[in-house]
Amino acid sequence: MKHLALLTSGGDAPGMNAAIRAVVRAAHHYGLAVTGVLDGFDGLVEGRTRALGPRDVSNIIQRGGTLLRSARSEAFRTREGRDRAVAHLRAAGIDAVVVIGGNGSQTGAMTLHAESGMAVIGIASTIDNDLAGTDRTIGFDTACNTAMEAIDRLRDTASSHERLFFVEVMGRDAGFIALRTAIAGGAEYAMVPEARQDIDEVVRVLTQGAAGKGSSIVVVAEGDEQGGAFAIAQRVKERAPQFDIRVSVLGHLQRGGSPTVADRVLASRLGVGAVEHLREGRWGGVLGEVSGRLVLTPFAEAITGRKPAEGDLLRILPILAV
Ligand code: F6P
């Protein structure tokens, strides 16, 4: 193995730059060349690339976003697009591909691996934390911290005005961000897709809990089956008009910002680990970290496997929120 291609794909996540840096510097350490592919799988289809050496990744470990930019590629969904991508890789003499991204991106990586037979390895990176085979994905911790800080600020104003806030956080179909930030932000309730909760129960909990409380915060996962925070707030208001309700949708704020220590270290370990796995002939899956050890999980399992929700957090939330 002599030459790697590296790309970031899907929703960007804080720590992607730290992972790029780690892959490039590990490759340098082992004497491998690195081609950075711009704009995710779109850049692979179009052949948009730049060579990356150790100095090209200076001063990026602390930066959010991705130096290589990212995209959700339509072109790569077609067989024609994928054939063009493989042709570019072969013409450039590339023998392995590292894909830094989440669920959709690793599906692309799996297809590339299956159709071309090339050495492809994924690095688990998405704020959603919705890949199996890793305790945490790169970006998740930073997104949780960002959401928690926002909730802290909202608590200040909620308390001043004795209001009930519904705060919507990202996470696609998973409630990992919602659950963690609800616990960390001292929320009164969390609505997540992993649990069946109805509006009457929310009203009951808030009404009972409101006794003696100046403010309440409900964290809503964007993927919750009851709808978004605005829809839920409206239905609560119809049942409990006494609440002075406000809604805050945190949105893409959660995707930016300087990565936390946890994300920088995770990205550094996974980046070096990916290069070392490739050198040892281990690929065909997504690299993650489980109980402090690097684990390579076959693509199909990492993508479709259901990582258990942190059910204990859901259980302890009402104990803490009295
Ligand atoms: O997968 C990351 C994520 O931020 C999800 O939490 C969210 O549902 C989605 O991406 C938003 O995608 P976009 O940036 O394309 O609007």
Side-chain angles (χ1 to χ4, degrees), residues 20-30 34 53-59 272 275:
I20 293 170
R21 172 181 178 269
V23 169
V24 171
R25 293 199 170 164
H28 175 74
H29 177 80
Y30 291 113
V34 179
R55 291 284 75 79
D56 296 313
V57 293
S58 297
N59 296 325
V272 175
V275 174

Side-chain angles (χ1 to χ4, degrees), residues 18-285:
I20 293 170
R21 172 181 178 269
V23 169
V24 171
R25 293 199 170 164
H28 175 74
H29 177 80
Y30 291 113
L32 311 176
V34 179
T35 289
V37 179
L38 304 175
D39 309 313
F41 286 106
D42 272 348
L44 205 54
V45 173
E46 301 297 331
R48 278 197 299 279
T49 61
R50 60 177 276 202
L52 289 176
R55 291 284 75 79
D56 296 313
V57 293
S58 297
N59 296 325
I60 64 166
I61 193 168
Q62 74 277 24
R63 282 169 45 196
T66 158
L67 173 82
L68 293 172
R69 300 192 298 269
S70 192
R72 302 189 197 278
S73 175
E74 286 304 320
F76 197 75
R77 289 181 206 278
T78 67
R79 183 66 205 230
E80 190 209 336
R82 293 197 296 275
D83 287 346
R84 283 176 64 194
V86 174
H88 284 304
L89 289 168
R90 295 205 198 287
I94 288 164
D95 10 66
V97 183
V98 180
V99 175
I100 302 172
N103 216 294
S105 309
Q106 302 307 343
T107 306
M110 176 172 70
T111 309
L112 177 65
H113 173 58
E115 288 180 356
S116 71
M118 291 187 77
V120 183
I121 191 166
I123 293 181
S125 180
T126 161
I127 66 164
D128 301 335
N129 198 29
D130 60 350
L131 279 168
T134 190
D135 292 338
R136 311 263 180 273
T137 51
I138 297 167
F140 172 63
D141 187 65
T142 308
C144 286
N145 276 281
T146 304
M148 180 194 70
E149 283 173 22
I151 290 169
D152 289 348
R153 286 172 165 76
L154 291 170
R155 178 69 80 178
D156 289 344
T157 177
S159 303
S160 304
H161 291 268
E162 300 203 315
R163 281 175 169 158
L164 162 60
F165 265 83
F166 288 85
V167 185
E168 185 178 302
V169 298
M170 279 187 165
R172 201 180 287 278
D173 301 326
F176 292 106
I177 299 177
L179 261 183
R180 292 224 135 209
T181 55
I183 293 288
E188 274 61 35
Y189 202 84
M191 302 191 69
V192 293
E194 291 86 355
R196 298 200 69 76
Q197 299 147 308
D198 65 27
I199 298 291
D200 291 328
E201 190 208 337
V202 182
V203 172
R204 184 185 58 74
V205 170
L206 291 173
T207 312
Q208 284 175 0
K213 280 206 171 193
S215 64
S216 295
I217 289 185
V218 177
V219 179
V220 180
E222 66 174 349
D224 188 73
E225 73 283 354
Q226 297 287 346
F230 278 103
I232 293 170
Q234 168 123 22
R235 291 167 67 196
V236 169
K237 185 74 181 169
E238 283 159 12
R239 289 166 174 76
Q242 73 274 21
F243 284 117
D244 185 10
I245 298 178
R246 294 293 185 274
V247 176
S248 181
V249 177
L250 301 186
H252 289 79
L253 273 178
Q254 296 156 97
R255 286 250 294 267
S258 181
T260 57
V261 172
D263 278 331
R264 295 183 198 195
V265 174
L266 177 63
S268 300
R269 291 188 80 196
L270 295 185
V272 175
V275 174
E276 291 180 339
H277 271 67
L278 289 171
R279 287 187 78 239
E280 292 158 13
R282 292 188 286 161
W283 53 70

